[in-house]
Amino acid sequence: MASKFFRLVALLMIFVSSFSFAAKNKKNKYSIKTSDGGVIAEGRLKQNELEVPAPDSSLANEPAPADSPSLANDPEPAAEEAAPVEEAPAEVVRETEDHKESRYEISAIEEPAAGLNYYITKDENNQYSFVQKLSWNKINDIKNYRITIERSTDAGWVQVMEKDLTENRIEVSLEAGQYRFQVCVINLFDQIEKSSSWRNFEVLKALQPKIENLQTDSMYLSSKKADGIFTLNGSNLNEHTIFTMEKKDVEPPKILHGRVLSLSEDGKSAQVQFDINDIDEGKYEIYAQNPGGLSVISKTLHIKNKKDKKWRLTVGGGYSFALALSKNQLTKYTQKQAFPLTGTAKIAIIPIWTKIGDFGFSAIGNYSFMIPTNSRTYKLTGNLATALGCLTYQKYLMPKKLLIDVHAGAGMASIFGLSFENKYTGQKSPTLNSVGLAFGGGLGLQYHFAKHLYAEVAGDFVFCKFQDMSFGMIYPSASFGGRF
């Protein structure tokens, strides 16, 4: 009798344990069915993954609530915004590389690229606009996300978009202004589980800057007025414009950042200062860049240590050789065609510098001593001098080294101290002095072997016309001089 009783108790305990186990399993299961009995989704909640709400007969078969989306670097919500969302368990929001790459950041870029949060587009009317990229961390086992975007107006926040998404990202093109957005998690029962806090962002107007001119295209570092301040005139220059000054003929390129001192209300003029201590000699370009990478470059800016002189002075002198072109009255009397005792002198001032060459004025003089001529009947002595004022053209064939000089002009010629002595009678003629006109020109090559010194070879032709005679002379020469 006793053994039957113990058997009955054992069977009763097994029956109670089985019933409890089934009820427990049933409590952790859920399923979603259609009206005709078809199963849409089913599963079992795991206690180590999510916190299950307190037991409630109406929620016994619902899946655990999904955690709210996390927006990277989410600021503390303002007083009028939603209260902070409870931090999700570590098993739900995992710190993975994918999560890090989806962090919400605002940064200006020129073209779309992975990981960057807006880019510029241009429509058929050549109008630029921003495309904003919003993203948040991915959450599994939900139906979808719902994003709401609001714009700040004088009347308060106004909704401009509400959209359901299956992806944890969206790209939107919005007008310039102040915005905020919020992401909600929609569970499998099409209900809002949780919402993120509002996140503010700004959409700027996409403007192409222009620089039409600089107030100056050169600056001299030795000047007392050198302060690194430049005035730029153009359009679409605003408080978001970034100005840089770049020197590209060095490696790596030298980049200086400017500070905006003043800006016109219409965006057509800006005064920008660069650190004068960081600027050295060379060619620079000033860039203006607006948000989104829209940029423009100015004309070349020349920076020099000191202001170059606007004129060049050269003075030289040397040896020349006077040669008469043909027999004439001079050679008839002197019985000579060449006069080796000749000297030359030249002074030139060049005040006009252009891209095709430099222009100025010069004065060229030649002096020849006539070696006494002894014929059977007479002895002749005298001197010949010519002086020309010329228009001069100079051009460097090698920068600051080899220079060609072309000149032509008019002046005076003089034969002076001319006397004849009769060898038979010993009678001397009165000393004759005669002045005439001179015309001529020539060509020279100057080589500047030092900063202020040069050597020159040249050839000049001078036509002399006196009252009773005319003759032409050639003067090849070699000389040295200085440049000042």
Side-chain angles (χ1 to χ4, degrees), residues 162-181:
E162 184 173 89
K163 189 173 184 179
D164 287 352
L165 306 166
T166 56
E167 296 291 333
N168 62 322
R169 62 185 63 88
I170 187 175
E171 295 185 2
V172 290
S173 183
L174 303 169
E175 295 182 357
Q178 298 289 337
Y179 292 86
R180 68 179 184 178
F181 78 99

Side-chain angles (χ1 to χ4, degrees), residues 177-197:
Q178 298 289 337
Y179 292 86
R180 68 179 184 178
F181 78 99
Q182 183 185 60
V183 178
C184 300
V185 175
I186 308 300
N187 64 19
L188 298 175
F189 297 101
D190 202 22
Q191 297 175 338
I192 296 178
E193 278 285 343
K194 289 186 180 180
S195 302
S196 71
S197 59

Side-chain angles (χ1 to χ4, degrees), residues 102-122:
S102 69
R103 290 185 182 278
Y104 176 75
E105 295 177 357
I106 295 295
S107 59
I109 59 172
E110 185 173 0
E111 295 179 354
L116 300 175
N117 294 90
Y118 65 64
Y119 57 91
I120 290 290
T121 60
K122 185 168 65 173

Side-chain angles (χ1 to χ4, degrees), residues 12-266:
L12 183 59
M13 292 177 65
I14 292 172
F15 178 77
V16 172
S17 299
S18 301
F19 180 81
S20 299
F21 180 77
K24 184 177 180 181
N25 284 344
K26 181 178 181 182
K27 181 179 179 181
N28 290 330
K29 291 182 178 180
Y30 73 90
S31 63
I32 303 173
K33 299 182 180 180
T34 61
S35 58
D36 58 0
V39 177
I40 297 176
E42 61 181 5
R44 183 191 305 274
L45 296 180
K46 297 181 181 180
Q47 296 294 334
N48 62 343
E49 287 187 353
L50 296 174
E51 284 189 34
V52 180
D56 187 342
S57 59
S58 63
L59 300 176
N61 293 326
E62 287 185 7
D67 196 74
S68 61
S70 170
L71 303 181
N73 301 323
D74 221 357
E76 289 295 326
E80 70 277 12
E81 295 180 351
V85 178
E86 239 180 276
E87 185 177 348
E91 290 80 8
V92 177
V93 182
R94 297 177 176 84
E95 190 69 11
T96 64
E97 290 300 320
D98 290 339
H99 173 60
K100 290 179 180 178
E101 290 178 1
S102 69
R103 290 185 182 278
Y104 176 75
E105 295 177 357
I106 295 295
S107 59
I109 59 172
E110 185 173 0
E111 295 179 354
L116 300 175
N117 294 90
Y118 65 64
Y119 57 91
I120 290 290
T121 60
K122 185 168 65 173
D123 59 22
E124 62 276 6
N125 298 321
N126 290 327
Q127 297 297 316
Y128 293 95
S129 61
F130 282 107
V131 174
Q132 193 77 39
K133 299 170 69 175
L134 307 175
S135 61
W136 52 92
N137 61 299
K138 186 176 181 181
I139 301 176
N140 298 321
D141 299 327
I142 64 172
K143 181 182 178 183
N144 58 264
Y145 309 95
R146 180 170 297 158
I147 185 170
T148 304
I149 300 178
E150 296 182 351
R151 182 178 182 180
S152 177
T153 66
D154 294 337
W157 291 100
V158 176
Q159 181 176 307
V160 295
M161 177 186 292
E162 184 173 89
K163 189 173 184 179
D164 287 352
L165 306 166
T166 56
E167 296 291 333
N168 62 322
R169 62 185 63 88
I170 187 175
E171 295 185 2
V172 290
S173 183
L174 303 169
E175 295 182 357
Q178 298 289 337
Y179 292 86
R180 68 179 184 178
F181 78 99
Q182 183 185 60
V183 178
C184 300
V185 175
I186 308 300
N187 64 19
L188 298 175
F189 297 101
D190 202 22
Q191 297 175 338
I192 296 178
E193 278 285 343
K194 289 186 180 180
S195 302
S196 71
S197 59
W198 288 97
R199 178 64 185 262
N200 296 332
F201 65 96
E202 180 181 9
V203 175
L204 301 174
K205 190 173 182 180
L207 296 173
Q208 173 67 57
K210 294 181 181 179
I211 299 179
E212 296 175 355
N213 61 73
L214 293 173
Q215 196 175 50
T216 179
D217 59 358
S218 60
M219 186 179 73
Y220 305 100
L221 300 177
S222 60
S223 172
K224 295 181 179 180
K225 297 181 180 180
D227 51 10
I229 297 177
F230 300 93
T231 299
L232 300 87
N233 299 314
S235 59
N236 294 333
L237 307 176
N238 55 60
E239 66 272 16
H240 300 287
T241 305
I242 298 174
F243 296 93
T244 56
M245 184 174 174
E246 301 187 15
K247 183 180 182 182
K248 292 187 175 181
D249 55 358
V250 295
E251 188 62 38
K254 186 174 184 178
I255 301 177
L256 306 177
H257 294 274
R259 180 170 61 93
V260 178
L261 300 181
S262 63
L263 187 70
S264 63
E265 293 183 0
D266 57 6

Side-chain angles (χ1 to χ4, degrees), residues 470-484:
S470 300
F471 54 88
M473 304 291 292
I474 293 178
Y475 294 93
S477 63
S479 58
F480 292 91
R483 171 183 171 180
F484 307 96

